[in-house]
């Protein structure tokens, strides 16, 4: 049957896309870098060579060597080990924050896009207002108001601040979807609104949501790093990359560049890897 | 058109009101207590009471909000805890400095990014495109402070091409000198914003390139170059310019880290000081100002977009 | 046609491929044809067979991923496959022009019409002030009223017909020697289509331009072209003079194609439509033998293994088939439903009153204005009958369907009764039985089926909800329904993306039948489908009706289809029923002037020419309807009828002009009869 | 010719971030440099920490230090040209004591009252204190920087900033808050030897002193006052020279002896023994500190040098922990506020403690208020004696670090911080032998008695370890070689080393 052929075509299509993905250099590079950091985040203690707090006062700010691959910082701590161990903080925080933002944003977006009307109008105004204040600034405001910086607060704040973006994307997708006739068809078999939202519409906006998720994840890393650089992201003394850069960057003028450079590269590499992956996905799946 | 503008302005004012409520609630309802934040946790309960009374924090929230809004309307932003000066006197000069930086940055960023986007679109799928798109977006996801540090190291310290602080120390800095000092931080902002703007431009140009009317133009016998110039750029770029306005929040957000790295006494640095000092009158006004700027730009962008697009212009005029 | 032996355009064994996901997929397979100066050559074939590709290849304008992999294209004897971009541009500027589908997007939205037309003249060296004058003349030439004003408009301020005239004006501005028209009227209303086609015919007579005319509508081709080529899967399978080819089709594909069409006087009660089984091959598939072999009832081993050559049928008529002599005796495909009828408690018989709509109105708010989109519509429909709903785009057909189904509530005063029972205005206040009793099949199955759900789930869930079956029973019933509609069991677990358009529509029909409906609304269920698939779907609907006594409301702008399937017809204009009656009466006249114009605009596939009764101007906006009879500014019969003032001042009622035949017209029946004879 | 050369000379120095207007009544830390430039005090504190005559040419304590008499010079002038008189001095001090003026410096005037300030004649002013204070001159010296002499009747609030009518070395030319202040040399200054050669001085504010380093390297700046030792070390000696100021103050890390996990003195000692002070000073501080031995007596000349200096001894520390019943360590939170040196020191403590299994969580307050709360000179009333540890308050925290500024004598430390009933005793140590030794110190008259008392205090400190003092900082300023003969006192006032004069 020709219908069989069409089925096969769809299958080969997926394998063709996967083959393309495997050939996509950007994807390979991005995925490898991210895999390395995820591995470090999970098994950091195995990859690191010293404890994150171990300090060698004999070699303060010593340049990279066989003993200290990335050199030591001005407290004599091994930069390599701290960069490896620091990966967990930024990856976990960014991931959780994005997850939170995606969850709330998707729920609100679904409701707004489907229910429309006054609810939509009011919600969109509020979300527009939230997104009128740049992420970093609203996070700083919250840190000042709460009185202290901590990772939980950072997760909550970034998550909440991402809500408008996610909600808007999902809402737009839902608005488009709910015009489609399958929604009318569902109504015509007496489905409840919740069912239509979550069982009919949601699966169709999922791809959009996933792409939005990767984009947000990239920006979460950006935001977490910046906040901790500004001293408003995490608890003091944490080995996260932003704090490391903040603590050491002024030393680059004294030619002590390694404690700044390596965590900077780490931030850059994670951010870029996520960007490469989402870009490759977009391209190969022609989204 | 006038009706549209009035309506749009009305909506913006509404949004701004919500912004003010959010800011106010964040500073009043979140667990931290302003008196404790300011006086320190060691202060005696009596000290808190006196302080709260003096600042009016003992009044109901609605009254406090009303007072704050009233102040904003009349230009009385209160007194900064930290600087013991009227907030406007602290914020005004700082914001003016940041505006200078932002303007120099935008003048640098807009044409370069648009050019990049057009170049990428015209070479879609080729190496140039991949380089500009992937490179641009990769640069964009690297935080400003990383760029700032790298740029200072390279151009300020190693090559000594640019001054490392963004603020000229001359007695009477002339405009060239000021701009020269602002170049390096602007380049850092360029790295972050290039990706976004060029992507939007690229998408717009590609959409126009793929459009039926572009096909019509080419099939009329226009050379590709002329067709692109007359039919594509016109349709793709005008909206892009409006889109740049939507990047303003990123620009403002980016100023904080940049001003810190480049020791620029602007709005971002002041805001950061207000955060560290828990200087709420200053902080509230500073954040409100951010919201105001962002919303104004979005308003301008929307109106500009409507003016540039005959379809909306007409719908709007009716 | 012409004696000049250098053809204007000639394709020789043209091969074109598209690169998709890194692989070259061939689209055109050795296509050869020639168009003599002044000749109109038609290219027909189902969707995706490569018609547009051939047209764009002739313009040397392939998509970025397309390339010519073999063969030659000659323009006036010169091979243009390898000439450089500047020469191509020069050709386009002076000798070849193109018009294609979707005129509104073909115009630049931000540049005024005048400037866009003038650009063509300027390209040929005319000064800009002269160019603007010439643009005005060009608009006059395509019969646009008030060209000076149109010059200053933007694309979105033009109706579809106007926009297409502008595009044609632009194409003709350079006095081209070849005009390529790719489905220039697809998407336009029948009345507008007819006008545009008239215009093209007229202009061609005046200019003597050679035309490559592409359409999937055989009727249009028949009326427009001197010669026709039939494309299938990128290969030209038959070619000949139009009348010859249509009367003596010699390739099984052409034969099948012609048989699918519900033409002339065919009616469901007497005639069953033919279909071409299967679907066209996927892009880029390789063939050892005939491209049509998989769907051909005459195919044998030779067809599977050897490439057939063109066989001459008569002088200009060739067919690429080993069995061209037997083509006309192609066996009819019989495809019967195996559908287990609904066991419903209804003890009605065919013809009993089922649906009664009275005084239905709907007002929408558009940009702050109240717009009466449906105005006082009353209709009736019997058990087991089909009501055809016709009218131009925007006349309110879909809105009526939505009102019936309760998807949007009607205005106060409108009443819908089904089987004697008044229905609640909105869906959520109707009980399950009422909801199940009235269902819909949408135009676009892609949008109507949730692409994330399996076929079984789509139908099963409807059974579960509407019949209150247990899950297991619902699934069993769903499978029964699907198999009955000839959706193969192997496809029950797949998602809609993996199905062809026809199969999707079968799934949608299965879903509509899940709740044992008494009435199913079909809103253009076949207009997105190819003719062969359309025929199969129409057959299916007819079979279902016969078995279940289901009634249909069938919405379509294709009058041939409506005529074939309907027992009663309602003609809508601007949200009003202007004529309503049995199929017989409505199609045989005397007609309402609007119906008359509509019918006369349908291009006839059998080549018979009927005098066109034109509707002048374009459809008025429902937000600002004309006073008096809403048709009066466009009415072809108003002038000289003697009722002009009445028509312009007073809105006529829907009167029963003869038993079972209603009309909304001031002109009396007898007068109309006289005018129309 | 030398004057025409010096006309051109501009001296650019990095200034600390301003925390408030540079006004006598209102000032906080950041404005120090500005006030030091324009102001003149009764007494100057020299870079070496000694007191030098300034407006007062002579001062003398009588009545065992209850009455102080100052003789002032008559040739001093304010920047607006008016001569500086005894009335101005009286007005200045009284204005600070006037509660209406909410002066930030009032608290530091100790036992001085408004009525006790007496103008004896045009050249003499007498202070009748309510209690004996042998160190009173320090309270009116330039280390109490708000107390610069103002013109009679002028307000010391933000309105002062526009004129800055002081009598100091530099005249304010322009001042932009948070950016920079430009000064010109005061031609009428009474002690020309103390002003360096250049005509103009610019103080440019930086977020942090480290942020100023690039500007220093590119020549946009000539000098940075108060730099981290390591960063100072990294600047090449071929281009820059360093001047230092030793301080006896520093970071005091207390451990609560009454509640929490550190009540066992063996545990406290174990913590002290984990620290490798020399390595820390050498490595992290670039050598710019002196090793301290957990008592405030170390840096004074009376110190008993024979008391053994504590050294890192992990084995002993482990033994002590085992004896105390926590052989595998425990978890504890170390609290303070965020500042670069505190950051580093807490990390030092954290990593050192880890070696014996003590898991230290660092909790630093990032706000400005944090500094005020943990700084011993806090202007806020402190709640003493909270029995709930770790509340994020200096006097309630189980394990915390506070900063004490240098004092000319250890008396205040001993009375307020180390004595069991001291109002700022954060360790809550109640050890009779320490209290006895402190009392002995306070009543000691002779050098010998003082030495003995000091020795006893030092030993008792080592026995109980209520507070760990690991080092006394040496502050560094770095100046470009192009500008010769410049040094700073602890307040950031620019002094001429006299070498170029
Ligand atoms: N740029 C492209 N890339 C890949 N495939 C394409 C491209 N354009 C068209 N196709 C595919 O090539 C085949 C032929 O397309 P073409 O547009 O020529 O068909 P057509 O006969 O004009 O169909 P229709 O009647 O739908 O317009 C179709 O299967 C189509 O999906
Ligand atoms: N939700 C809506 N809000 C406002 N106006 C609407 C809405 N739905 C339809 N209309 C308007 O009602 C009129 C009738 O639309 P409808 O879709 O019923 O026409 P139709 O006859 O089905 O046309 P087509 O043949 O194009 O499908 C149109 O003018 C349309 O613009
Ligand atoms: Mg086509
Ligand atoms: Mg419709």
């Amino acid at each position: 049957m020709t219908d069989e052929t069409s089925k096969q075509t769809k299958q080969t299509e997926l394998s063709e896309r996967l083959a393309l993905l495997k050939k996509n250099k950007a994807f390979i590079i991005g995925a490898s870098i991210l895999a390395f950091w995820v591995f470090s985040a999970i098994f950091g203690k195995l990859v690191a060579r010293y404890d994150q707090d171990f300090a060698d006062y004999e070699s303060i700010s010593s340049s990279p060597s066989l003993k200290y691959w990335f050199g030591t910082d001005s407290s004599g701590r091994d930069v390599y080990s701290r960069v490896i161990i620091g990966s967990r903080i930024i990856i976990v925080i960014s991931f959780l924050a994005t997850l939170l933002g995606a969850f709330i944003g998707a729920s609100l977006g679904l409701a707004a896009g489907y229910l429309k009307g006054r609810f939509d109008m009011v919600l969109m105004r509020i979300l527009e207002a939230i997104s009128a204040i740049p992420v970093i600034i609203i996070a700083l405001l919250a840190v000042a108001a709460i009185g202290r910086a901590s990772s939980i607060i950072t997760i909550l704040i970034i998550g909440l601040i991402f809500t408008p973006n996610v909600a808007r994307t999902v809402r737009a997708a839902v608005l488009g979807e709910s015009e489609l006739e399958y929604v009318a068809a569902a109504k015509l078999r007496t489905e409840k609104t919740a069912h239509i939202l979550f069982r009919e519409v949601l699966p169709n906006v999922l791809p959009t949501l996933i792409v939005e998720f990767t984009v947000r994840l990239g920006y979460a890393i950006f935001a977490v790093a910046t906040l901790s650089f500004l001293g408003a992201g995490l608890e003091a003394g944490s080995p996260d990359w932003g704090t490391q850069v903040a603590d050491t960057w002024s030393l680059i003028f004294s030619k002590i560049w390694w404690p700044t450079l390596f965590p900077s590269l780490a931030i850059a590499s994670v951010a870029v890897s996520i960007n490469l992956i989402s870009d490759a996905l977009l391209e190969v799946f022609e989204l | 058109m006038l009706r549209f503008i009035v309506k749009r302005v009305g909506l913006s004012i509404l949004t701004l009101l919500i912004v003010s409520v959010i800011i106010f609630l964040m500073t009043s309802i979140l667990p931290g207590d302003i008196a404790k934040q300011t006086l320190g946790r060691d202060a005696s309960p009596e000290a808190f009471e006196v302080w709260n009374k003096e600042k009016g924090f003992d009044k109901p929230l609605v009254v406090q909000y009303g007072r704050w809004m009233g102040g904003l309307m009349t230009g009385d932003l209160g007194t900064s805890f930290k600087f013991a000066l009227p907030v406007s006197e602290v914020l005004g000069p700082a914001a003016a400095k940041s505006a200078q930086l932002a303007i120099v940055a935008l003048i640098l960023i807009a044409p370069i990014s648009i050019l990049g986007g057009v170049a990428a679109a015209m070479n879609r799928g080729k190496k140039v495109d991949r380089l500009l798109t992937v490179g641009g977006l990769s640069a964009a996801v690297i935080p400003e402070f990383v760029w700032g540090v790298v740029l200072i190291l390279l151009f300020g310290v190693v090559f000594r091409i640019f001054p490392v602080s963004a603020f000229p120390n001359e007695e009477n800095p002339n405009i060239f000198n000021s701009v020269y000092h602002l170049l390096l931080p602007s380049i850092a902002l360029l790295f972050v914003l290039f990706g976004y703007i060029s992507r939007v431009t690229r998408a717009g140009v590609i959409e126009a390139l793929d459009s039926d009317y572009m096909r019509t133009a080419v099939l009329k016998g226009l050379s590709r170059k002329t067709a692109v110039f007359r039919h594509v750029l016109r349709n793709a770029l005008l909206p892009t310019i409006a889109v740049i306005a939507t990047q303003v929040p990123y620009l403002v957000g980016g100023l904080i880290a940049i001003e810190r790295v480049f020791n620029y006494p602007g709005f971002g640095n002041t805001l950061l000081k207000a955060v560290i000092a828990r200087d709420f009158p200053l902080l509230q006004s500073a954040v409100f100002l951010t919201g105001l700027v962002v919303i104004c730009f979005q308003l301008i962008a929307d109106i500009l977009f409507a003016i540039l697009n005959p379809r909306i212009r007409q719908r709007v005029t009716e | 046609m012409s004696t000049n032996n250098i053809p204007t355009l000639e394709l020789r064994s043209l091969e074109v491929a598209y690169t998709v996901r890194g692989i070259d997929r061939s689209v055109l397979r050795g296509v050869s044809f020639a168009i003599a100066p002044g000749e109109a050559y038609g290219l027909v074939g189902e969707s995706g067979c490569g018609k547009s590709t051939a047209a764009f290849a002739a313009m040397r304008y392939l998509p970025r991923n397309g390339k010519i992999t073999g063969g030659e294209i000659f323009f006036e004897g010169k091979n243009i496959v390898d000439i450089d971009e500047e020469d191509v541009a020069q050709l386009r500027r002076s000798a070849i022009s193109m018009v294609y589908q979707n005129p509104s997007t073909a115009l630049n939205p931000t540049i005024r019409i005048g400037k866009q037309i003038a650009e063509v003249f300027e390209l040929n060296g005319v000064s800009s002030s002269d160019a603007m004058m010439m643009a005005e003349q060009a608009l006059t030439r395509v019969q646009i009223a008030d060209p000076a004003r149109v010059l200053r408009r933007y694309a979105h301020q033009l109706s579809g017909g106007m926009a297409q005239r502008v595009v044609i004006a632009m194409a003709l501005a350079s006095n081209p020697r070849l005009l390529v028209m790719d489905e220039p009227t697809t998407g336009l209303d029948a009345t507008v289509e007819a006008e545009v086609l008239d215009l093209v015919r007229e202009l061609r007579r005046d200019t003597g331009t050679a035309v490559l005319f592409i359409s999937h509508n055989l009727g249009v081709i028949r009326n427009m072209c001197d010669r026709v080529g039939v494309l299938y899967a990128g290969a030209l399978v038959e070619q000949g003079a139009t009348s010859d080819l249509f009367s003596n089709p010699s390739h099984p594909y052409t034969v099948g194609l012609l048989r699918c069409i519900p033409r002339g006087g065919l009616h469901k009660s007497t005639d069953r439509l033919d279909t071409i089984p299967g679907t066209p091959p996927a892009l880029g598939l390789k063939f050892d033998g005939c491209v049509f072999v998989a769907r051909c009832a005459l195919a044998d081993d030779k067809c599977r293994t050897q490439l057939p050559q063109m066989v001459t049928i008569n002088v200009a008529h060739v067919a690429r088939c080993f069995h061209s002599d037997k083509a006309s005796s192609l066996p009819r495909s019989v495809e019967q439903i195996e559908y287990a009828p609904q066991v419903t408690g209804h003890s009605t018989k065919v013809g009993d009153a089922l649906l009664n709509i009275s005084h239905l109105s709907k007002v929408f708010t558009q940009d702050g204005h109240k717009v009466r989109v449906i105005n006082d519509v009353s209709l009736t429909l019997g058990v087991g009958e089909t009501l055809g709903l016709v009218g131009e785009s925007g006349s309110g057909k879909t809105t009526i369907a939505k009102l019936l189904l309760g998807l949007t509530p009607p205005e106060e005063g409108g009443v819908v009764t089904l089987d004697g029972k008044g229905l609640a205005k909105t869906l959520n206040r109707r009980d399950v039985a009422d909801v199940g009793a009235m269902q819909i099949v949408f135009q676009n199955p892609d949008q109507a089926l949730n692409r994330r759900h399996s076929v079984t789930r789509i139908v099963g869930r409807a059974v579960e909800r509407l019949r209150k079956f247990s899950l297991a029973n619902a699934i069993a019933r769903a499978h029964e329904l699907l198999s009955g509609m000839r959706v193969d069991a192997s496809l029950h677990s797949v998602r809609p993306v993996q199905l062809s358009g026809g199969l999707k529509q079968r799934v949608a029909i299965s879903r509509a039948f899940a709740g044992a409906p008494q009435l199913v609304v079909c809103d253009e269920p076949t207009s997105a489908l190819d003719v062969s698939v359309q025929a199969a779907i129409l057959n299916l609907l007819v079979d279902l009706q016969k078995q279940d006594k289901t009634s249909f409301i069938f919405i379509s702008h294709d009058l041939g289809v409506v005529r074939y399937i309907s027992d009663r017809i309602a003609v809508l204009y601007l949200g009003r029923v202007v004529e309503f009656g049995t199929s017989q009466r409505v199609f045989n006249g005397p007609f309402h002037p609007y119906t008359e114009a509509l019918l006369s605009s349908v291009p006839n596939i059998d080549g018979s020419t009927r005098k066109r009764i034109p509707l002048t101007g374009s459809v008025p906006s429902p937000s600002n309807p004309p006073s008096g009879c809403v048709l009066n500014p466009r009415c072809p019969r108003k002038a000289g009828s003697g009722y002009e003032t009445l028509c312009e001042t007073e809105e006529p009622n829907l009167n029963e002009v003869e038993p079972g035949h209603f009309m909304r017209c001031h002109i009396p029946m007898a007068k109309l009869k006289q005018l129309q004879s | 010719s030398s004057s025409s050369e010096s006309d051109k000379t501009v001296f650019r120095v990095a200034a600390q971030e301003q925390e408030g207007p540079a006004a006598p009544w209102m000032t906080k830390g950041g404005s120090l440099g500005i006030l030091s430039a324009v102001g003149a005090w009764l007494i100057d504190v020299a870079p070496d920490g000694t007191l030098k005559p300034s407006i007062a040419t002579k001062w003398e304590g009588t009545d065992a230090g209850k009455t102080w008499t100052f003789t002032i010079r008559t040739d001093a002038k304010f920047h607006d040209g008016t001569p500086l008189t005894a009335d101005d001095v009286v007005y200045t001090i009284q204005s600070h004591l006037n509660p209406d003026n909410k002066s930030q410096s009032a608290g530091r005037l100790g036992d001085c009252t408004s009525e006790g300030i007496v103008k004896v004649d045009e050249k003499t002013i007498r202070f009748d204190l309510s209690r004996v204070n042998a160190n009173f001159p320090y309270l009116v010296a330039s280390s109490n920087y708000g107390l610069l002499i103002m013109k009679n009747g002028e307000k010391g609030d933000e309105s002062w900033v526009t004129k800055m009518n002081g009598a100091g070395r530099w005249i304010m030319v322009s001042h932009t808050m948070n950016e920079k202040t430009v000064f010109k040399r005061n031609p009428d200054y009474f002690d020309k030897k103390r002003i360096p050669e250049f005509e103009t001085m610019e103080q440019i504010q930086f977020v942090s002193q480290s942020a100023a380093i690039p500007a220093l390297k590119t020549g946009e700046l000539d000098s940075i006052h108060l730099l981290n030792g390591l960063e100072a070390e990294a600047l090449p000696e071929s281009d820059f020279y360093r001047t230092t100021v030793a301080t006896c103050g520093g970071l005091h890390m207390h451990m609560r002896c009454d509640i929490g996990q550190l009540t066992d003195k063996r545990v406290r000692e174990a913590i002290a023994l984990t620290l490798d002070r020399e390595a820390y000073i050498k490595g992290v501080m670039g050598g710019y500190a002196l090793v301290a031995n957990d008592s405030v007596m170390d840096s004074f000349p009376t110190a008993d040098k024979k008391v053994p200096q504590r050294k890192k001894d992990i084995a002993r520390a482990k033994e002590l922990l085992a004896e105390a019943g926590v052989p595998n360590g425990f978890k504890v939170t170390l609290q303070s506020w965020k500042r670069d040196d505190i950051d580093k020191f807490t990390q030092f403590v954290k990593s050192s403690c880890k070696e014996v299994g003590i898991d230290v969580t660092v909790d630093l307050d990032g706000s400005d208020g944090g500094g005020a709360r943990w700084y011993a000179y806090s202007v806020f009333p402190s709640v003493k004696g909270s029995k709930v540890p770790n509340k994020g308050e200096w006097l309630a925290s189980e394990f915390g670090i506070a900063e004490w500024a240098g004092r000319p004598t250890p008396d205040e430390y001993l009375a307020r911080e180390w004595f069991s009933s001291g109002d700022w005793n954060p360790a809550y140590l109640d050890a009779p032998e320490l209290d006895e030794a402190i009392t002995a110190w306070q009543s000691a008259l002779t050098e010998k008695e003082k030495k003995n008392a000091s020795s006893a205090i030092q030993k008792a400190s080592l026995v109980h370890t209520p507070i760990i003092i690991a080092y006394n900082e040496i502050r560094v300023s770095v100046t470009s070689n192009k500008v010769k003969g410049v040094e700073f006192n602890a307040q950031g006032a620019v002094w001429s080393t006299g070498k170029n004069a």
Side-chain angles (χ1 to χ4, degrees), chain B residues 84-85, chain D residues 21-27 91 101 150 154-162:
Chain B
L85 286 174
Chain D
W25 295 341
M26 311 182 72
T27 186
Y91 166 75
N101 293 338
M150 291 190 291
E154 277 186 354
K155 282 174 168 285
D157 58 10
E158 62 262 31
S159 64
W160 196 81
V161 172
T162 51

Side-chain angles (χ1 to χ4, degrees), chain C residues 18 20 27 46-54 63 65 182-183 216 283:
Chain C
Y18 287 128
V20 180
V27 181
E46 285 174 286
S47 177
C49 64
K51 305 183 294 292
S52 300
T53 306
N65 61 338
D182 186 3
E183 315 239 14
H216 62 266
L283 186 68

Side-chain angles (χ1 to χ4, degrees), chain C residues 603-654:
Chain C
N604 235 323
I605 193 165
D606 52 26
S608 64
T609 42
R610 193 196 297 144
K611 187 174 178 305
R612 251 212 349 103
I613 312 292
L615 279 179
T616 49
S618 54
V619 189
S621 151
S623 61
N624 185 21
S627 61
C629 173
V630 286
L631 182 64
N632 91 73
R634 304 176 75 199
C635 183
R637 294 296 176 198
K638 182 180 87 176
S641 66
Y643 293 87
E644 287 93 333
T645 38
L646 195 59
C647 290
E648 281 161 24
T649 52
E650 207 172 296
E651 172 134 40
N653 291 323
L654 189 65

Side-chain angles (χ1 to χ4, degrees), chain A residues 2-4 6-7 10 13 16 177 181-182 185 187-191 195 199-200 203-204 207, chain C residues 21 25 279 427 435 439-440 442 447-448 450-453 457 461-462 465 490 497-498 503 511:
Chain A
T2 10
D3 287 320
E4 281 299 300
S6 94
K7 189 175 168 182
K10 296 295 168 190
E13 190 187 306
E16 274 171 22
E177 287 292 323
E181 284 143 355
Y182 71 82
K187 286 185 196 157
L188 279 172
R189 50 166 204 262
T190 68
E191 297 288 9
H195 177 94
R199 302 299 302 279
E200 299 281 332
N204 285 297
Chain C
R21 290 189 290 280
R25 297 166 206 254
T279 49
L427 196 55
V435 174
Q439 287 288 312
I440 184 167
F442 293 102
Q447 297 182 5
N450 193 328
R451 36 193 201 287
R452 293 280 153 185
H453 292 163
R457 179 161 196 257
R461 181 80 189 172
R465 297 291 300 176
S490 67
V497 259
Q498 303 187 13
L503 278 168
R511 177 176 62 193

